[in-house]
Amino acid sequence: DSVEWEGRSLLKALIKKAALGGEQVHILGCEVSEEEFRAGFDSSINSRLVYYDLFRDPLNWAQTGEALPGGPLGALQAMCKRTDPGPVTVALDSLSWLLLRLPCAALCQALCAMSRQHACRGPSQSRPAEQLCVLGLLHRELHGPGPTGALSSLAQTEVTLSGTAGQASAHILCRRPRRRPTLETLWFSVLPDLSLDLQGGPPLESQPHPDPHTPQVSRRPGRKRGTGACGSAERRDWKLQGVGVGSG
Amino acid sequence: MFPELNNLLNTTPDRAEQGKLTLLCDANTDGSFLVHHFLSFYLKANCKVCFVALIQSFSHYNIVGQKLGVSLTVARECGQLVFLEGLKSSVDVFFRAQAEPHPLQFLREANAENLQPLYEFVREALKPVDDGEAAWRCPVLLVDDLSVLLSLGMGAVAVLDFIHYCRATVCWERKGNIVALVHDSGDTEDEENNILLNGLSHQSHLILRAEGLATGFCRDVHGQLRILWRTPSQPTTQRDRSLTYQYKIQDKSVSFFAKGMSPAVL
């Protein structure tokens, strides 16, 4: 995301969608308080969220014994060990916070290890890639092309937020094995109950162009209005695996 | 405080919001008038203010404050204002025994890694009173300015960690506010300052950016102010609001007007 087009509300909307789908949801919260992050979720959703609070005392300055052991990297590694087998969504709020305080290589290794460890414990070991979904919020102004590129290389899907005329848009770059990457633009808003509302928007010609380094991709036409939360026909597009939410 | 700026921000001392981080930024101009505004605003709002003043002396802020209707001397004496005078304290730190903690002790440490002593100072200064009845409305931390910490050798992440802990304590735990000024040098190669500025921008609920005019100096228009309201965690059906005004600083006030609508040219 960017300063002008924040991505935390979209992250929360995706978390809600995962929780409603019966998935475990584990959240590493670094940038805002747990209370602030949980705001907007109803009690049934909140009860399904497992929250790791790295906001209150991330560096153990208070020395009360309440800080997550091992600092930011330890907290991330602890999340890997605590996720039970079965479909799970891990949300990192934010990847930028972690990337500023951890070496990029260590963070990338931790993310890869998370996926491998979960795959080893999953019941459907023949299809491990679908067991774990990692959502990471990245503030793109904060990082150079190197770290951003490294995280992009790990992600199957990149969602870049921008907008025009007060309307937010998501440029979704999706990479699947042995297929050409696809690029799709959706106009959306996140409703107060954290549902996603897909909307029609300006014609493709007037939409902001993605970054020039974006590889040659197949383009899909912009989506028209959906019905509140995404319906089943659109669910596949929103079931993101390994997502980085960057900025335009 | 400047009443016209209050009108633009749709706020008054009686209706000051709580739990917010306000980022002040200046680019190619001097944005210190914003610091003076918020200092007088929160003193008039009956808030307990901790002012980490690293740029000017106490007497400077006091003189300007008196023009805006507040006395920093009185506020300090009655306990409403805790004032860390950086220019004076930075000398004291070298004459104090090393074992004694000092908020600016990073100045005498060759490899200071963090600003924890400064955070501890702020936390102690804004500690709630124990007499069971709040004397002041809410705690406020004001910093002028954060960029100088980079100039003094601290890294951007260390400054971000300091603000992180201040947010956790002042904004979240004690429902207070933080106002901090960061300069934007416009130098894309100044990575540390860009990380600090962008990092704080993402955490802010309100960003006030004072910019010099692209056309250069003007006697009747001193700059333009961009105001960006953000909701970092809550969805809004409309995107965050942004307004731009031009301004002229006078002796005791600042007047704001739409672009190109300066009274001097109408």
Side-chain angles (χ1 to χ4, degrees), chain B residues 139-188:
Chain B
V140 174
L141 169 64
L142 185 61
V143 185
D144 181 22
D145 61 60
L146 289 174
S147 295
V148 77
L149 293 173
L150 301 181
S151 303
L152 291 172
M154 297 308 298
V157 176
V159 182
L160 287 174
D161 286 340
F162 162 69
I163 290 293
H164 179 111
Y165 269 86
C166 290
R167 279 176 53 224
T169 302
V170 177
C171 295
W172 174 66
E173 187 181 321
R174 299 177 186 170
K175 305 294 184 276
N177 295 323
I178 297 177
V179 181
L181 175 66
V182 177
H183 298 301
D184 182 0
S185 62
D187 180 3
T188 54

Side-chain angles (χ1 to χ4, degrees), chain A residues 63-247:
Chain A
Q63 298 197 330
T64 57
E66 294 179 1
L68 293 176
L73 189 58
L76 192 57
Q77 292 166 341
M79 287 180 78
C80 303
K81 294 173 185 166
R82 286 184 62 178
T83 58
D84 297 322
V88 62
T89 291
V90 172
L92 304 175
D93 180 24
S94 63
L95 274 174
S96 287
W97 195 98
L98 294 170
L99 196 53
L100 285 176
R101 291 156 179 85
L102 298 174
C104 181
L107 178 59
C108 292
Q109 286 169 2
L111 292 174
C112 290
M114 184 187 292
S115 178
R116 275 198 308 272
Q117 287 177 10
H118 189 78
C120 290
R121 290 200 305 274
S124 304
Q125 294 189 21
S126 60
R127 302 176 70 185
E130 294 193 6
Q131 293 295 316
L132 175 68
C133 172
V134 179
L135 304 174
L137 179 61
L138 192 73
H139 309 311
R140 199 152 179 174
E141 300 105 330
L142 293 182
H143 312 289
T148 307
L151 289 171
S152 294
S153 68
L154 295 180
Q156 286 186 291
T157 308
E158 280 181 52
V159 181
T160 304
L161 300 185
S162 62
T164 186
Q167 179 62 51
S169 64
H171 302 278
I172 305 172
L173 175 65
C174 199
R175 303 183 187 93
R176 291 194 174 92
R178 294 179 294 280
R179 293 188 191 178
R180 278 185 83 179
T182 59
L183 181 63
E184 182 177 6
T185 297
L186 295 175
W187 298 85
F188 74 99
S189 61
V190 179
L191 302 178
D193 67 350
L194 297 174
S195 300
L196 275 170
D197 183 23
L198 303 182
Q199 298 159 0
L204 282 173
E205 293 75 16
S206 65
Q207 293 171 9
H209 293 290
D211 286 342
H213 75 269
T214 304
Q216 290 287 326
V217 296
S218 303
R219 285 187 177 267
R220 298 173 64 174
R223 286 300 182 92
K224 296 194 178 173
R225 177 178 288 275
T227 53
C230 298
S232 59
E234 298 157 332
R235 178 178 167 81
R236 182 184 299 178
D237 294 320
W238 287 104
K239 185 161 181 66
L240 305 172
Q241 294 178 345
V243 174
V245 183
S247 71

